[in-house]
Each structure stands twice: as structure tokens, then as C-alpha cells.
Amino acid sequence: MWVDGDYRLSLDQCSSREMKNSSFQARSVAFFAILIGLLALGCWAVLLHELHGGRVLAPTAFVALLAYSVVLYLRPRSGSHIKRPVAVIYWVFAGLFYPWLVLRQYFGPVTVSAVIFHWGEGVEGGVTIASVLAHIAALILIAILLHAIYLFVAQSRWGNFLLLIAATVFLILNPVTRYAGEKFRYWGKAELEGVRSFASDPIITAEPDTPRNLVIVLLEGLEATYENPMFGDAYAPLADLRDTATSFSNIRQFPMTGWSVAGLVASQCGYPTPPRGVRPTFLMVDKNLDFMSDRVCLGDILSKHGYQVEMLLGANAVFGGFEAFLNSHSFDRVTDLQGLKAFGAADFGPWGFHDDEVFKAGLARIRELEQADAPYALSLFTIGPHGPYGYLSKVCRSDGMPDAVSDVLLAVECTGRLARDFIKEARKVADPSTLFVVMSDHLAHPNVSAIGQLKTLERRNTVLFVNAGEEGTVSDKPGTMLDVYPSILEALGFQLKGRKAGLGTSLFSNLKSFADGEDGLTTQQRLRRDVKFVKWLWRNEGDGEKE
């Protein structure tokens, strides 16, 4: 009887062990299945950014958070194979890579120069609820992905080796490493020719007998590459406008001019915008009063010659150094969010007032300026194709359509159409001699939906001069946005010594553009190495006519 009882007890114990083993196996299978799915989701979000441009961050982060919670619940309780020094190395390099991954999720691949610049100049006025939520989602998503990699590798007998490989990959892909690597590439080679010897503020040798009014339209990221047939009719409105203009079809992007205020500096000062340093905004007592204030820019020259110089934009002028630049370069009036309300603006979007409100206010302001005796220079800044979404004005939206759409081509067509119609209407109310310049401020940001296609093409900026010569003229002269500055001055009737201003050379001349034929990386290294030029650019005695 006791033997029989022992036998039954043994059977029960075996059955219990089998059930536990079965439960453990099911738990392990579920753990690895969900973990692999989580890794796939994270890799899709990070590696295939060009497919979604950060526009699905919130739902992706939510799904990842749910999956991550289940993974933590199912995680095996057995000890890890990972040695402490290896874990420390992994998390140090993952932590250094972490902020760049987060920024990439919303902005696409970013440059060290752009990050340092915005760290120094500040992003006040550009922070929206949508951008805050997107960054929170990115923070959660990337943190989960990094820990998921660790959990997955920790289960392998090769875990220590694999973690070291992962840490090495993080180090190699870190933009700071690439930044240092680009410098090392030129280490030991012949010294690159500096930039300072080529830089010179414009020297006016002759003035126009009769001043012409000037209207500049800066189109956010609306590059001429969008005219390629793969983008359909997105660029058609600007192609129509080009038929009435003198256009330049071969204007590439110069290093350190690839964000909004840098594009403005390039086209109105003839210089790139290297960071002035790494001081954060709150340590800059003079940040709103000094922005290359010793350099002679378009506003400085025109103001000195009696122009009323103004800027009109739908966003907040405080963002990213705009206010500092405008304060430093003789702008008499800046109309941004608050000022547009006085013009009756009502169509408000994530970044500020939509482009239709900017153009309506611009047209109204031209009518007012035409009543004054002084010549004027009015710059308008748009936002539509900024990214990661395309931002549509009300006149471009059908009923029930959101103002932020994933397809940037809709915004390209919308903003282009509004710009074309604005120029058409403005020419009716402005003085017949008024010069209109329409340009992209820089190439499209890497977070727009069309970036994958754009990167396969030779990318060029939009530059159109309306009322500057024979209509329909197209020039393929190689140049950069730095060359727009002296070109505007010459189109207004000013004569320049050497036909140059800043680092720019007039597009109306036969002279070669600065660094023409030089690859962008070499030019970038010349800028980074020439400390004298950067110091002179930001703080030094001028050599032009600014007083």
C-alpha cells in the first residue's frame, strides 16, 4: 500500500514538473516572440525613417510600450550571462547615441553643426504640443529599443561579445564620431586653404539713380528638385512663375546653410552659419541683440540707403536666432504671430499661421508701404513643406481635411500656388519697378515624406528673380545660396567691388562661385578649420560700409 502511494506521489510530481516545464517553455516562446516583434518594430521606426519621417511616432511608441510591459513580465528570472564591465560599456555608448536617435525620429538625420547652433540660439517659439509629444514618444521608443536589444542579447551564451559589437556599432553611427572622422580624414594632409581671405563684406562702388522696391519670398524647403516628373505636378505653380522670371537652375546648398535662419543668412549676408560656440541660450546675455552684428547684410545696406526694411512670417520670430538676426541687421519692423492677428489672420497651424495668412498680410502691407515716400524691402517667410508633415493652408484643404498631412507634395503644390498668385497680385499694386525674388531658404529637411526620392537626384534650390531682366531666361551657372545676396544688390542697381558680397559672387556675372567644383565635405572642413573666419564672422570689426 505504501509502495503504491509512493508511486502515485511520484507520478504527481512528474506531472507537476512536466506542467511547469511546459509552462516555462510557453513563457519562453512568448517572451522571445514578443521581444523579436518589439525589436522589429523599433528597427522599422529607426532604420526605415525615410518611409515614415517620424509621422507615426505616437502610435508606434504606444504599441512598443505595451509589448515592452509584456516582455518584462515574461522575462526569464535566471541570472544574466552579461559581465558588468560589458554592460557598462554597452550602456555608455548607447547613452551617447540615444539623444541623436531621438532627434532623428522627428527631424531625420541631423548635423552636429545644426544641433550646436540651435542649442546655442534656442528653440523658444518653435516648441509646439505636437513636437513635445513627438519627442516624448521618441524618448520612450528609443529607450525601449535599446533595452530590448540588451534583453535579447543577454539570453545568449555569446551575449558579452554581441553587446560589445552593438556598442561598437553605436559608436560608429554616432554623428559625433562621424564629425571627428571627417576631421581625421584630412589629418596630415596639406593644409586646406582658409575661408577668411575670401570673405569680405560688400563694398558699394555705385548706387542706383532711382531706388527700386524689393519683395523677397522665402519658401521653406521648396527646392527646385520637386520639378522632377516623379513628383507629378507639385512644382507646376512655380514652373509657371519661372516663365515670367529670370531663374537660376543650378544653385546647390552650401555647408552650414541647411536650416531656416542659416538659409536667411546665406541669401541676405552671403555667409554660412557656423555655430558661435556651445553656450546654451540662457547663458547668452546678448543673444537677442547680437547675431553677426559686425557683418554687413542686405538689411544694413538698404536701411542706410533710405529703405524701410521689414520681415513678415507666420511663426514666432524668437525661434532659432531669427529675432537676434533681425535685431542685428537693421530690420525696422518684424511682423510675426502677434502682428499677423492685426491683419485679421485666423488660419492657425502647428508652427503658427499658415502660408495663406502670410501672403494676405504681405499683400496688405505692400499696399500700405506703397503709400509712403521711402522705398521698401519686405521679406516673407513661409512654412508649408517644413516637415515632418506638410502644412496646408485653408484654401488648399477640402472639407474635413487636416491641416497637417503626411504627403509633403500637397504642401509643395499649395505653397507654390500661393506664392505664384501672391506675386501676380502684388505686381498689380506695387510700383512697376519693384523687384521680386522667390527662393527656397534651403533644401527640404530630411524628415519630409519625399526625402527618399529626393536623395536619388541632383538636388538644387529654387531661385527666381521677377522683373530683373528678360522674362523666361534660365541660367545654369553653378552657384550657391551665398551668391543670391550680391545678385539681389546688383538687380536693385548697386554696383559692387569685384561683384562680390560676403562669400557670394553675383549670379549675373561670369565669375566663378566660391568653392565652385569643390566637394561639400572639403568646403565644410575648410569652414571648421578656419577659426579666424568663425571669430571674424561673429565678432569683429567690419570691412564693408556698415556704420
Side-chain angles (χ1 to χ4, degrees), residues 491-507:
L492 289 173
F494 293 94
Q495 294 182 26
L496 306 174
K497 181 179 180 180
R499 306 194 73 175
K500 296 182 178 181
L503 288 173
T505 303
S506 174
L507 294 168

mmCIF file of all heavy atoms in Angstrom, residues 491-507:
data_model
loop_
_atom_site.group_PDB
_atom_site.id
_atom_site.type_symbol
_atom_site.label_atom_id
_atom_site.label_comp_id
_atom_site.label_asym_id
_atom_site.label_seq_id
_atom_site.Cartn_x
_atom_site.Cartn_y
_atom_site.Cartn_z
ATOM 1 N N ALA A 491 20.759 93.468 -58.875
ATOM 2 C CA ALA A 491 19.444 93.603 -59.520
ATOM 3 C C ALA A 491 18.747 94.887 -59.085
ATOM 4 O O ALA A 491 17.936 95.453 -59.828
ATOM 5 C CB ALA A 491 18.573 92.390 -59.195
ATOM 6 N N LEU A 492 19.058 95.377 -57.880
ATOM 7 C CA LEU A 492 18.493 96.634 -57.385
ATOM 8 C C LEU A 492 19.215 97.853 -57.959
ATOM 9 O O LEU A 492 18.763 98.985 -57.767
ATOM 10 C CB LEU A 492 18.551 96.677 -55.855
ATOM 11 C CG LEU A 492 17.591 95.739 -55.118
ATOM 12 C CD1 LEU A 492 17.885 95.771 -53.616
ATOM 13 C CD2 LEU A 492 16.146 96.121 -55.377
ATOM 14 N N GLY A 493 20.350 97.618 -58.617
ATOM 15 C CA GLY A 493 21.063 98.727 -59.236
ATOM 16 C C GLY A 493 22.364 99.106 -58.563
ATOM 17 O O GLY A 493 23.050 100.036 -59.010
ATOM 18 N N PHE A 494 22.730 98.435 -57.490
ATOM 19 C CA PHE A 494 24.006 98.713 -56.827
ATOM 20 C C PHE A 494 25.145 98.059 -57.611
ATOM 21 O O PHE A 494 24.984 96.973 -58.174
ATOM 22 C CB PHE A 494 24.023 98.174 -55.394
ATOM 23 C CG PHE A 494 23.080 98.880 -54.461
ATOM 24 C CD1 PHE A 494 21.801 98.379 -54.236
ATOM 25 C CD2 PHE A 494 23.463 100.034 -53.809
ATOM 26 C CE1 PHE A 494 20.922 99.021 -53.372
ATOM 27 C CE2 PHE A 494 22.595 100.689 -52.945
ATOM 28 C CZ PHE A 494 21.320 100.189 -52.734
ATOM 29 N N GLN A 495 26.295 98.732 -57.626
ATOM 30 C CA GLN A 495 27.492 98.142 -58.210
ATOM 31 C C GLN A 495 28.448 97.778 -57.079
ATOM 32 O O GLN A 495 28.639 98.556 -56.143
ATOM 33 C CB GLN A 495 28.152 99.110 -59.192
ATOM 34 C CG GLN A 495 27.299 99.383 -60.427
ATOM 35 C CD GLN A 495 27.982 100.311 -61.421
ATOM 36 O OE1 GLN A 495 29.213 100.392 -61.475
ATOM 37 N NE2 GLN A 495 27.195 101.008 -62.235
ATOM 38 N N LEU A 496 29.021 96.592 -57.162
ATOM 39 C CA LEU A 496 29.842 96.052 -56.081
ATOM 40 C C LEU A 496 31.285 95.881 -56.526
ATOM 41 O O LEU A 496 31.546 95.461 -57.665
ATOM 42 C CB LEU A 496 29.297 94.691 -55.631
ATOM 43 C CG LEU A 496 27.820 94.625 -55.244
ATOM 44 C CD1 LEU A 496 27.412 93.175 -54.972
ATOM 45 C CD2 LEU A 496 27.549 95.483 -54.017
ATOM 46 N N LYS A 497 32.186 96.153 -55.651
ATOM 47 C CA LYS A 497 33.594 95.915 -55.918
ATOM 48 C C LYS A 497 33.814 94.409 -56.097
ATOM 49 O O LYS A 497 33.477 93.614 -55.217
ATOM 50 C CB LYS A 497 34.444 96.433 -54.764
ATOM 51 C CG LYS A 497 35.937 96.242 -54.990
ATOM 52 C CD LYS A 497 36.742 96.792 -53.829
ATOM 53 C CE LYS A 497 38.243 96.596 -54.061
ATOM 54 N NZ LYS A 497 39.056 97.120 -52.928
ATOM 55 N N GLY A 498 34.360 94.039 -57.232
ATOM 56 C CA GLY A 498 34.602 92.628 -57.516
ATOM 57 C C GLY A 498 33.343 91.824 -57.768
ATOM 58 O O GLY A 498 33.407 90.600 -57.903
ATOM 59 N N ARG A 499 32.186 92.513 -57.778
ATOM 60 C CA ARG A 499 30.878 91.870 -57.962
ATOM 61 C C ARG A 499 30.639 90.789 -56.898
ATOM 62 O O ARG A 499 30.009 89.769 -57.162
ATOM 63 C CB ARG A 499 30.752 91.295 -59.372
ATOM 64 C CG ARG A 499 31.022 92.312 -60.473
ATOM 65 C CD ARG A 499 30.573 91.849 -61.820
ATOM 66 N NE ARG A 499 29.102 91.874 -61.943
ATOM 67 C CZ ARG A 499 28.450 91.604 -63.073
ATOM 68 N NH1 ARG A 499 29.134 91.283 -64.164
ATOM 69 N NH2 ARG A 499 27.130 91.642 -63.116
ATOM 70 N N LYS A 500 31.147 91.088 -55.684
ATOM 71 C CA LYS A 500 31.067 90.118 -54.594
ATOM 72 C C LYS A 500 30.485 90.743 -53.340
ATOM 73 O O LYS A 500 30.541 91.960 -53.136
ATOM 74 C CB LYS A 500 32.462 89.552 -54.280
ATOM 75 C CG LYS A 500 33.066 88.755 -55.427
ATOM 76 C CD LYS A 500 34.412 88.180 -55.045
ATOM 77 C CE LYS A 500 34.991 87.346 -56.180
ATOM 78 N NZ LYS A 500 36.296 86.748 -55.820
ATOM 79 N N ALA A 501 29.927 89.874 -52.488
ATOM 80 C CA ALA A 501 29.428 90.286 -51.167
ATOM 81 C C ALA A 501 29.486 89.066 -50.266
ATOM 82 O O ALA A 501 28.943 88.011 -50.607
ATOM 83 C CB ALA A 501 27.998 90.819 -51.264
ATOM 84 N N GLY A 502 30.150 89.208 -49.113
ATOM 85 C CA GLY A 502 30.349 88.055 -48.249
ATOM 86 C C GLY A 502 31.243 87.051 -48.953
ATOM 87 O O GLY A 502 32.312 87.387 -49.467
ATOM 88 N N LEU A 503 30.791 85.819 -49.014
ATOM 89 C CA LEU A 503 31.470 84.794 -49.806
ATOM 90 C C LEU A 503 30.758 84.582 -51.137
ATOM 91 O O LEU A 503 31.086 83.656 -51.887
ATOM 92 C CB LEU A 503 31.528 83.468 -49.038
ATOM 93 C CG LEU A 503 32.490 83.404 -47.851
ATOM 94 C CD1 LEU A 503 32.305 82.097 -47.090
ATOM 95 C CD2 LEU A 503 33.932 83.554 -48.292
ATOM 96 N N GLY A 504 29.768 85.418 -51.412
ATOM 97 C CA GLY A 504 28.961 85.256 -52.611
ATOM 98 C C GLY A 504 29.480 86.053 -53.788
ATOM 99 O O GLY A 504 30.091 87.114 -53.634
ATOM 100 N N THR A 505 29.204 85.543 -54.979
ATOM 101 C CA THR A 505 29.552 86.198 -56.237
ATOM 102 C C THR A 505 28.279 86.346 -57.053
ATOM 103 O O THR A 505 27.484 85.404 -57.149
ATOM 104 C CB THR A 505 30.567 85.358 -57.025
ATOM 105 O OG1 THR A 505 31.724 85.135 -56.215
ATOM 106 C CG2 THR A 505 30.975 86.067 -58.309
ATOM 107 N N SER A 506 28.063 87.488 -57.634
ATOM 108 C CA SER A 506 26.826 87.748 -58.360
ATOM 109 C C SER A 506 26.558 86.680 -59.420
ATOM 110 O O SER A 506 27.426 86.341 -60.226
ATOM 111 C CB SER A 506 26.882 89.123 -59.028
ATOM 112 O OG SER A 506 25.735 89.311 -59.849
ATOM 113 N N LEU A 507 25.341 86.174 -59.414
ATOM 114 C CA LEU A 507 24.917 85.199 -60.411
ATOM 115 C C LEU A 507 24.759 85.835 -61.790
ATOM 116 O O LEU A 507 24.673 85.132 -62.798
ATOM 117 C CB LEU A 507 23.597 84.549 -59.975
ATOM 118 C CG LEU A 507 23.672 83.686 -58.706
ATOM 119 C CD1 LEU A 507 22.269 83.342 -58.220
ATOM 120 C CD2 LEU A 507 24.479 82.422 -58.949
#
